[in-house]
Amino acid sequence: MECTRTASYSLVLNGETFGHFKGAQGLRQGDPLSPLLFTIAMEYLSRILAYTTATFPFKFHPLCSPLNLSHLMFADDLLLFCKGDVKSIMVILRSFSTFSHASGLQMNPTKTNAFFNGVPTNIKHEILQISGVHEGSLPFRYLGVPITCGRMSKLDCNILVEKLITRIRSFGSKKLSYSGRLVLVSSVLTTFGMEGLTLSDVLDWGWKSVCRIKDKLAAGYSNGHWVLDTKGYTVQSGYDLLRQKFQTVSWHKQVWNPWCIPKHQFIAWLVAREALLLKERLLSLGIAVDADCLLCGKGIENHVHLFQTCEYARKIYTELGTLLDVALPATDLISLIGSGQHSKLKKGILLCAVIAAQYHIWIQRNQARVADCILRPNLVVSQIMKLLRMRVSSRLQPNLVNLDVMWLSSVKLRL
């Protein structure tokens, strides 16, 4: 609400900024906070509809009843579904009345339409009269897609195909010139250059690609039979034959374990691949002026130093190990925990802790670079422990073995 109340605006005229005035009617359209504010407001409406449709005499649309689906939202559009009877419509209107009274937002009848299928004329007129909206005709277009009461036909999809072709032609008519870019992980991102790509080039390229893999697929046949799958040729077995073979790694199950936060996992993945842009690599590219560690200043900033032997990192691991009653030595902690003799629960929590530590070390390293200010190691550990308690609270299963219960209690991870 502080962001909403303190919003201010300026006008851009002929490339120059003029004026500075406070907003008096909430957020302007296009404000980055608008989608979030809309989501918060509509969450309240969703809860009202969920309560009223379950409490009062309401009948779901026949095709929506298996999911108890009463509404869908996209951007600032709202679609409502119900059986075409007056009682169900009254439930929806009362829900809107409750929402409007609390939020100040109201339905705009001139921009609202009701669509019917198989509803008797007298009931249809009664619904339109009590709701105050206009009747719309099917099909109508939503996000460019025709909405009908039946299955979409090939003709209905033509407009989407035409738009796609137009986009491809527009893309192909532009000359693209990509200069060399710094690549973190070569198997994920590559630099490329292309010029004058047209739709005919795309189709010609696709056909040539099919011809190119013909001989490769032939390797899976013997005497006219597909030998790579007992059921005969399948898309999966064909893909397995054609796909590029990558090196098997030992840490993937540890990095992508379900206990960890996704953004922490991404940084841990880059650490395992030694793909972060640290000062040693930047120096070799002529970007940095030195390779001194930004956190301790006592070593060359590379992956091994920053995430294993750095004095700042070691303090975090030591204090974290003390609080979790485990030893975290200066080595590859992720692989070490993954191969340790811990229970599955304890292993997941420890991996979550170490991967969170790597994430925070990376954040503090960047903070040292841009602001010359970092958190003390004990404050970082406090953040990690708070995270672990929340993860344990949300993911903990009731049927725990005694050893896990004792460990969780001793390290104070159970809320």
Side-chain angles (χ1 to χ4, degrees), residues 192-222:
F192 61 94
M194 61 176 65
E195 187 172 352
L197 181 67
T198 63
L199 180 62
S200 60
D201 295 328
V202 173
L203 297 176
D204 187 54
W205 171 84
W207 174 247
K208 288 181 178 178
S209 298
V210 171
C211 294
R212 214 170 20 244
I213 67 171
K214 178 184 65 175
D215 295 334
K216 294 182 179 180
L217 283 174
Y221 283 91
S222 176

Side-chain angles (χ1 to χ4, degrees), residues 300-359:
I300 296 177
E301 189 187 85
N302 54 36
H303 289 81
V304 174
H305 171 80
L306 184 63
F307 296 101
Q308 293 186 24
T309 61
C310 173
E311 183 179 301
Y312 182 87
R314 290 310 318 154
K315 288 180 180 179
I316 292 177
Y317 293 139
T318 300
E319 186 169 348
L320 196 57
T322 300
L323 292 175
L324 295 177
D325 194 25
V326 293
L328 298 177
T331 184
D332 185 358
L333 295 173
I334 294 177
S335 297
L336 182 67
I337 294 172
S339 60
Q341 300 301 315
H342 307 295
S343 69
K344 183 178 180 180
L345 174 96
K346 187 174 182 180
K347 191 178 295 185
I349 295 175
L350 293 178
L351 286 170
C352 179
V354 171
I355 288 176
Q358 288 187 344
Y359 171 82

Side-chain angles (χ1 to χ4, degrees), residues 135-359:
E135 180 180 2
S137 59
L138 293 171
F140 69 94
R141 297 197 177 277
Y142 181 68
L143 302 179
V145 180
I147 306 299
T148 70
C149 58
R151 187 182 298 274
M152 290 178 61
S153 66
K154 180 180 178 180
L155 184 63
D156 295 328
C157 299
N158 279 347
I159 186 172
L160 300 179
V161 176
E162 291 172 2
K163 285 186 176 181
L164 177 60
I165 293 176
T166 302
R167 291 282 183 92
I168 294 176
R169 290 188 184 276
S170 176
F171 170 76
S173 65
K174 299 178 181 178
K175 292 188 176 182
L176 306 178
S177 177
Y178 289 86
S179 58
R181 297 177 181 175
L182 214 52
V183 179
L184 294 182
V185 183
S186 60
S187 63
V188 177
L189 304 175
T190 57
T191 55
F192 61 94
M194 61 176 65
E195 187 172 352
L197 181 67
T198 63
L199 180 62
S200 60
D201 295 328
V202 173
L203 297 176
D204 187 54
W205 171 84
W207 174 247
K208 288 181 178 178
S209 298
V210 171
C211 294
R212 214 170 20 244
I213 67 171
K214 178 184 65 175
D215 295 334
K216 294 182 179 180
L217 283 174
Y221 283 91
S222 176
N223 297 323
H225 297 285
W226 184 256
V227 298
L228 300 183
D229 194 306
T230 57
K231 299 178 181 178
Y233 176 81
T234 62
V235 174
Q236 180 64 50
S237 60
Y239 172 74
D240 290 338
L241 176 67
L242 296 174
R243 69 176 177 172
Q244 181 181 354
K245 300 298 188 296
F246 292 99
Q247 180 184 0
T248 302
V249 296
S250 60
W251 42 260
H252 71 284
K253 289 185 179 180
Q254 285 75 48
V255 169
W256 305 112
N257 82 87
W259 277 92
C260 300
I261 304 296
K263 64 180 180 180
H264 296 179
Q265 292 174 317
F266 178 69
I267 296 300
W269 176 65
L270 292 178
V271 172
R273 297 293 302 270
E274 296 190 359
L276 291 172
L277 294 178
L278 300 181
K279 292 182 72 175
E280 183 182 49
R281 185 177 179 187
L282 293 175
L283 183 63
S284 68
L285 296 171
I287 298 176
V289 296
D290 62 72
D292 296 336
C293 177
L294 288 166
L295 293 179
C296 69
K298 298 179 181 179
I300 296 177
E301 189 187 85
N302 54 36
H303 289 81
V304 174
H305 171 80
L306 184 63
F307 296 101
Q308 293 186 24
T309 61
C310 173
E311 183 179 301
Y312 182 87
R314 290 310 318 154
K315 288 180 180 179
I316 292 177
Y317 293 139
T318 300
E319 186 169 348
L320 196 57
T322 300
L323 292 175
L324 295 177
D325 194 25
V326 293
L328 298 177
T331 184
D332 185 358
L333 295 173
I334 294 177
S335 297
L336 182 67
I337 294 172
S339 60
Q341 300 301 315
H342 307 295
S343 69
K344 183 178 180 180
L345 174 96
K346 187 174 182 180
K347 191 178 295 185
I349 295 175
L350 293 178
L351 286 170
C352 179
V354 171
I355 288 176
Q358 288 187 344
Y359 171 82

